[in-house]
Amino acid sequence: MRTIRLDSVSLPPALRKRVSARTLVGLGVVWLTVFFIVPVLYLLVESLNFGDGALFAYYETALSGVYGETLVRTFLYAFLTTAICLVLGYLSAYYIAFKSKRAILLLSLVLLPLWIAIIIRFFGVRLFFISSGPVQQVFGTDFGFLFSRNGVILGLVCALLPFAVLPIYNSLRSIDDELINASHTLGASQLQTLRTVILPLSYPGVIAATLFVFILAAGSYLAPSFLGSSENLMMANRIADAQGYSVPLASAMSVVFTGGLLILVGLFNHFANVSEVLGDL
Amino acid sequence: MNERLERLGLLPVLGLVYVLLLLPVVIVVLTSFTVSEQPTIPYDGVTLEWYVELLYNSRIYDSIISSVIVGVAASLLAGAIGTATAFGFVRSEIPYKETLATVMLLPIMISPVIIGLALLRFGGTVGMSSGYPVIILTHTVLTFPFVFLIVRSRLLTFDTQLEDASRTLGASNIETVCNVTLPLLAPAVAAGMLLAFVISFGEFTATQFLTGAGSQTVPIYIYNQIGTGLSPEISALATVLVVVMIAAGYLGDRLT
């Protein structure tokens, strides 16, 4: 398909008279503002204690004791999941992009699980380790996977691997073969080519993968509640629980969690240009 | 690096990745055929008993109907709003376009537990804290970014000369939109809506706050059942969903 210059694109004049393209964007922005941004910001208002007591009382609770621990644990789990997904995702994307002859088949097998509800996939992981499950029957033990940190991480890795493989694969595919050939022709070994040509050029994919996996892992509710114990709960579980007895506390935790996530993404943005990757989506 | 060494190192990793991706789904399907009362791998004989049980379970029917109502409504709404927004976004010059694109993707980045809580409070304020309207609204928010992304990427490669040709050949602008623009855009819109439907069908985290007596969706039903004990019936229900979702996914893939 030929490339087109975007600035030459315009809406048909008859339609432009009635509804301009700007109106359509405005519609979407207003809709999203009313039904998403305002409700989320309302949580911020609710988290501030405008009634009696100190203004930030709920933030003190949200940052201390069991809630503070959960916050740290959430980001630790997300970090571990991201690290495992990046290693497995990069190696498999590399194989699919450069070594396999059935790239399309292998790639659609990566995509396939995305169509299946996450609750079903976590249920499958749990079935694997239950007392009547195959792992117990073959090995006589579940290796401490079920209802532990390792179980939660395993579940998250299973669920989020596609979000690591796909962006990395895309960035590997978009590397010009000529650059790799040139590197070989100029005498670089395979390893040197990998280190100086392929790795740097696949950074955008790695950044996108890191971002997706980290954010989705940190916000997970089902992985801890299906595969963890009360020791492994993450922020989503605490927020959902707190909602039952103190909405301001749940709101404060939401703000703390989202704020923490934004700070981490901001730090990450300092080393890698996140907005560029997001713009390319 | 030696080519063969490279293959030997990569293949086990690739194998592990596919095991992690696919085995959880395979075991759910396998355990739905067990003769045991527990969801186990059927070593000694298979049965369709649990699928028959499904047919007699009215609560499962109700949950499937709830999920279909929510999924269809949310995908129609997200399809309409997402398409309109993507169309306007690509075909107009607006300030802060990059920033705005990021804002459109925010519902993917904020944890669904927070979106669920926010819309629970929002719904409560306007007098609808549970039931279909607020669930559909929530699912529309959650799936909107995906329709936006898919339709936008189609529009970015759209050959506008086709529209010019239509007008040059004497078609009015409305005729051009109806006969050229929309048909060319339709597969992307349909793919986006199918994705929205599948996401809505499987959504649990945000939905859990919003279901009332008559509006328990399938994931909520499955979650509650697993909480009270494991039965192969859940595997059978999950298998039915796997088939439906893969069929929808295949259809969506064919469209783009």
Side-chain angles (χ1 to χ4, degrees):
Chain A
M1 191 159 289
R2 48 169 309 207
T3 47
I4 45 165
R5 280 179 48 232
L6 282 183
D7 54 4
S8 67
V9 178
S10 69
L11 206 67
L15 211 64
R16 200 187 308 158
K17 272 183 225 144
R18 284 164 223 172
V19 219
S20 77
R22 276 176 166 226
T23 321
L24 291 176
V25 186
L27 184 94
V29 172
V30 168
W31 178 83
L32 208 61
T33 307
V34 172
F35 295 118
F36 169 65
I37 296 173
V38 167
V40 168
L41 286 181
Y42 182 57
L43 289 185
L44 182 66
V45 177
E46 282 195 300
S47 71
L48 295 167
N49 194 11
F50 284 124
D52 43 349
L55 197 58
F56 293 104
Y58 289 105
Y59 283 91
E60 264 171 50
T61 316
L63 281 167
S64 59
V66 69
Y67 301 114
E69 284 167 27
T70 309
L71 187 67
V72 174
R73 183 188 307 126
T74 300
F75 290 132
L76 175 71
Y77 284 12
F79 178 77
L80 288 172
T81 306
T82 310
I84 298 171
C85 281
L86 280 184
V87 172
L88 293 178
Y90 201 98
L91 292 172
S92 46
Y94 183 85
Y95 184 90
I96 299 173
F98 295 128
K99 304 285 164 192
S100 86
K101 293 179 181 67
R102 292 200 178 85
I104 295 187
L105 174 73
L106 288 175
L107 210 61
S108 36
L109 283 177
V110 174
L111 275 167
L112 184 75
L114 286 182
W115 291 98
I116 296 159
I118 210 159
I119 192 167
I120 294 175
R121 288 186 278 154
F122 286 144
F123 180 48
V125 176
R126 178 145 148 186
L127 285 179
F128 222 74
F129 294 105
I130 56 168
S131 55
S132 56
V135 171
Q136 288 272 8
Q137 298 202 306
V138 174
F139 300 101
T141 167
D142 66 7
F143 299 106
F145 267 118
L146 212 50
F147 310 123
S148 73
R149 182 198 66 194
N150 291 351
V152 178
I153 305 279
L154 179 74
L156 286 173
V157 169
C158 285
L160 301 178
L161 259 175
F163 296 97
V165 178
L166 291 173
I168 296 175
Y169 172 83
N170 281 335
S171 67
L172 286 174
R173 277 315 301 166
S174 64
I175 297 175
D176 193 341
D177 286 340
E178 293 299 318
L179 291 173
I180 297 169
N181 290 338
S183 167
H184 288 313
T185 314
L186 292 171
S189 71
Q190 280 236 357
L191 202 62
Q192 277 175 315
T193 307
L194 182 67
R195 200 165 47 88
T196 56
V197 178
I198 298 177
L199 264 178
L201 287 174
S202 62
Y203 269 152
V206 176
I207 292 163
T210 309
L211 209 62
F212 287 145
V213 175
F214 191 84
I215 290 173
L216 291 175
S220 174
Y221 174 91
L222 282 172
S225 83
F226 260 48
L227 302 162
S229 71
S230 57
E231 316 261 288
N232 311 111
L233 295 180
M234 291 165 71
M235 282 310 279
N237 311 84
R238 294 279 187 222
I239 293 169
D241 289 348
Q243 179 271 138
Y245 55 84
S246 167
V247 173
L249 179 60
S251 306
M253 280 196 279
S254 303
V255 175
V256 165
F257 169 61
T258 310
L261 201 59
L262 284 177
I263 290 171
L264 287 174
V265 172
L267 280 175
F268 184 61
N269 193 28
H270 194 72
F271 301 104
N273 198 339
V274 170
S275 47
E276 212 168 83
V277 172
L278 284 177
D280 281 348
L281 265 180
Chain B
M1 205 195 303
N2 186 312
E3 183 83 3
R4 229 173 74 204
L5 199 78
E6 207 174 27
R7 269 176 183 276
L8 284 178
L10 285 178
L11 272 178
V13 175
L14 196 73
L16 176 65
V17 165
Y18 284 105
V19 164
L20 289 172
L21 284 172
L22 301 171
L23 218 53
V25 183
V26 171
I27 192 174
V28 169
V29 175
L30 281 180
T31 54
S32 70
F33 298 109
T34 186
V35 288
S36 153
E37 292 289 309
Q38 285 285 314
T40 55
I41 300 218
Y43 303 101
D44 25 58
V46 293
T47 172
L48 290 176
E49 182 196 336
W50 303 107
Y51 289 89
V52 179
E53 297 263 315
L54 280 188
L55 292 176
Y56 292 106
N57 192 328
S58 64
R59 288 182 58 209
I60 289 183
Y61 272 130
D62 293 343
S63 70
I64 291 176
I65 288 167
S66 295
S67 277
V68 170
I69 291 173
V70 171
V72 168
S75 56
L76 285 174
L77 272 171
I81 302 167
T83 305
T85 313
F87 196 87
F89 191 86
V90 173
R91 299 205 171 182
S92 67
E93 278 314 311
I94 36 174
Y96 306 111
K97 212 167 179 172
E98 294 280 295
T99 317
L100 207 59
T102 314
V103 171
M104 300 291 177
L105 302 181
L106 272 181
I108 306 182
M109 294 179 226
I110 305 264
S111 172
V113 81
I114 294 170
I115 297 181
L117 179 60
L119 281 144
L120 172 74
R121 303 299 297 167
F122 175 82
T125 317
V126 298
M128 47 173 203
S129 56
S130 70
Y132 289 125
V134 67
I135 301 176
I136 292 167
L137 179 60
T138 307
H139 285 203
T140 311
V141 168
L142 288 167
T143 55
F144 162 85
F146 295 96
V147 181
F148 176 77
L149 278 178
I150 292 175
V151 176
R152 187 183 68 160
S153 74
R154 177 71 192 93
L155 277 167
L156 288 174
T157 57
F158 196 99
D159 188 350
T160 46
Q161 289 203 330
L162 293 169
E163 290 173 336
D164 296 340
S166 164
R167 279 190 288 271
T168 311
L169 291 170
S172 74
N173 289 308
I174 285 296
E175 280 170 333
T176 304
V177 168
C178 293
N179 296 328
V180 179
T181 315
L182 284 179
L184 282 171
L185 216 52
V189 176
M193 284 169 63
L194 265 173
L195 181 61
F197 181 82
V198 170
I199 293 171
S200 162
F201 216 82
E203 215 292 324
F204 172 83
T205 308
T207 318
Q208 63 176 326
F209 300 113
L210 311 166
T211 54
S215 55
Q216 283 210 340
T217 58
V218 177
I220 307 283
Y221 177 84
I222 292 179
Y223 187 87
N224 291 338
Q225 288 300 302
I226 292 173
T228 55
L230 296 177
S231 154
E233 198 188 26
I234 313 168
S235 297
L237 175 61
T239 304
V240 173
L241 296 188
V242 167
V243 172
V244 171
M245 285 172 153
I246 290 179
Y250 178 74
L251 203 63
D253 229 35
R254 291 291 300 270
L255 288 172
T256 36

